[in-house]
């Protein structure tokens, strides 16, 4: 059984596909024959290590059919590039879009995997020209590559940051403009946009308040949920993971954060549908 289906810690994600999409979403697979709310996003929306992710909690609180189109390590490239995801968002009575980092999306400097957006595929000639002293063949993941580029030259890295932020803003505008129904743009993090800064390990890394302000007018609503747990054990309480997965689990938003997100989204969706 694949990792997405059953992690070593024993949580069954019941991965499924919709239509002709090659993207694996969190299951169980839902019927789309009646009105539903679509939830688009990455690992947080998918709910890795979380028995009951926030789309399920919202459904329990509102009675609305909530379909989880979150994907592991998915970014804007999955949302903007997968025709099935776009079609489902257009069909939905409302769509919640989780803000994900621009590091995991293709741009003028590098290309990522179309479904697992954290996977680095190829550097462009432009990026190779800027970083002639870097061997891009050694990178498999965008995070590793960006950390190296920043370490090699923080000054040159500013050009990379500018490109990532510009590409994210343009693609988010495109996504929001293509969804004809009501939308909620969701910021869910342990930090505010002002606190994220240039921390590559933060989530969603590199997204600024100015970027959000630039795309908010295209969304129906904006929701910002920030919860920072000072207790590491409390943060992971209720999560399901193996001992080997513990470091990764501590980096994820915990069950309490998923409840906080649902508590914020539920009344907004009730008022919109």
């Amino acid at each position: 059984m694949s990792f997405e289906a059953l992690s070593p810690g024993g949580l069954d994600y019941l991965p499924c596909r919709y239509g002709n999409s090659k993207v694996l979403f969190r299951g169980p697979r839902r019927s789309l024959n009646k009105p539903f709310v679509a939830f688009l996003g990455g690992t947080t929306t998918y709910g890795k290590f979380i028995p009951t992710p926030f789309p399920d909690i919202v459904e329990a609180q509102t009675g609305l059919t909530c379909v989880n189109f979150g994907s592991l390590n998915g970014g804007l490239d999955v949302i903007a590039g997968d025709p099935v995801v776009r079609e489902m968002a257009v069909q939905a009575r409302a769509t919640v879009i989780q803000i994900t980092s621009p590091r995991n999306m293709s741009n003028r400097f590098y290309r990522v995997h179309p479904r697992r957006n954290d996977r680095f595929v190829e550097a462009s000639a432009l990026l190779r020209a800027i970083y002639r002293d870097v061997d891009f063949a050694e990178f498999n993941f965008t995070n590793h590559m960006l950390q190296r580029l920043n370490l090699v030259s923080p000054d040159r890295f500013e050009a990379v940051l500018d490109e990532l932020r510009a590409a994210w803003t343009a693609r988010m505008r495109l996504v929001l403009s293509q969804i004809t129904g009501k939308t909620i743009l969701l910021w869910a993090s342990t930090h505010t946009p002002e606190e994220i800064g240039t921390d590559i390990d933060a989530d969603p890394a590199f997204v600024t308040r100015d970027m959000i302000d630039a795309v908010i007018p295209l969304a129906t609503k904006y929701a910002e949920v920030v919860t920072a747990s000072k207790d590491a054990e409390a943060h992971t309480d209720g999560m399901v993971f193996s001992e080997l997965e513990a470091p990764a689990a501590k980096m994820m938003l915990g069950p309490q954060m998923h409840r906080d997100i649902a508590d914020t989204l539920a009344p907004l969706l009730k008022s919109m549908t």
Side-chain angles (χ1 to χ4, degrees):
M1 187 172 288
S2 68
F3 174 82
E4 288 86 356
L6 186 63
S7 76
L11 185 58
D12 192 346
Y13 298 104
L14 299 172
C16 63
R17 291 185 172 91
Y18 292 91
N20 295 322
S21 177
K22 295 182 179 179
V23 179
L24 278 173
F25 304 105
R26 178 154 182 170
R29 194 175 189 276
R30 307 295 301 275
S31 171
L32 304 179
N33 293 328
K34 60 181 181 179
F36 63 91
V37 176
F39 289 77
L40 315 183
T43 301
T44 294
T45 300
Y46 187 92
K48 188 173 182 180
F49 306 131
I50 306 294
T52 309
F54 68 84
D56 292 352
I57 303 174
V58 171
E59 180 168 33
Q61 291 181 352
T62 64
L64 300 168
T65 298
C66 296
V67 183
N68 192 335
F69 291 106
S71 60
L72 288 173
N73 301 305
L76 266 181
D77 275 18
V78 169
I79 299 174
D82 190 292
V84 172
V85 175
R86 294 199 307 272
E87 180 184 349
M88 294 304 100
V90 170
Q91 291 183 12
R93 62 194 301 185
T95 302
V96 176
I97 304 172
Q98 175 206 342
I99 292 174
T100 54
S101 173
R103 70 185 173 199
N104 293 341
M105 55 179 281
S106 294
N107 53 79
R108 289 192 308 145
F109 285 153
Y110 61 86
R111 187 163 55 91
V112 302
H113 190 281
R115 293 183 296 280
R116 297 298 291 266
N117 295 164
D118 64 326
R119 306 293 175 89
F120 170 76
V121 173
E122 182 182 36
S124 69
L126 179 58
L127 184 59
R128 291 178 186 277
I130 295 173
Y131 279 95
R132 296 181 184 277
D133 46 351
V134 173
D135 179 8
F136 289 92
E138 66 180 273
F139 303 123
N140 294 313
F141 296 93
T142 58
N143 203 42
H144 180 204
M145 179 195 64
L146 292 171
Q147 287 177 332
R148 178 66 60 81
L149 297 186
N150 188 37
L151 182 64
V152 169
S153 175
D155 290 339
R156 282 178 279 169
F157 191 67
E158 285 299 318
V160 177
L161 275 182
D162 289 344
E163 167 60 19
L164 294 183
R165 287 168 171 159
W168 183 95
T169 303
R171 206 152 311 162
M172 182 61 83
R173 284 181 176 275
L174 175 64
V175 166
L176 289 169
S177 67
Q178 289 179 333
I179 300 176
T180 55
K182 298 175 180 179
T183 54
I184 298 178
L185 192 61
L186 170 66
W187 173 277
S189 176
T190 55
H191 300 82
T192 66
E194 289 79 10
E195 294 170 333
I196 287 288
T198 58
D199 184 354
I200 296 175
D201 293 320
D203 188 33
F206 309 144
V207 178
T208 66
R209 178 70 68 185
D210 287 345
M211 292 163 62
I212 296 172
D213 288 343
V215 299
I216 280 180
L218 294 172
T220 309
K221 300 281 187 180
Y222 171 68
E224 187 169 307
V225 186
V226 179
T227 301
S229 175
K230 298 180 180 179
D231 187 335
E233 289 189 9
H235 173 76
T236 58
D237 186 35
M239 299 175 78
V240 179
F241 54 87
S242 69
E243 185 176 348
L244 290 175
E245 293 173 317
K250 291 177 182 178
M251 299 290 289
M252 305 291 177
L253 300 182
Q256 181 57 55
M257 182 61 161
H258 278 257
R259 289 190 288 270
D260 292 343
I261 296 170
D263 289 344
T264 299
L265 293 178
L268 290 178
L269 287 167
K270 286 289 284 185
S271 69
M272 292 167 56
T273 57

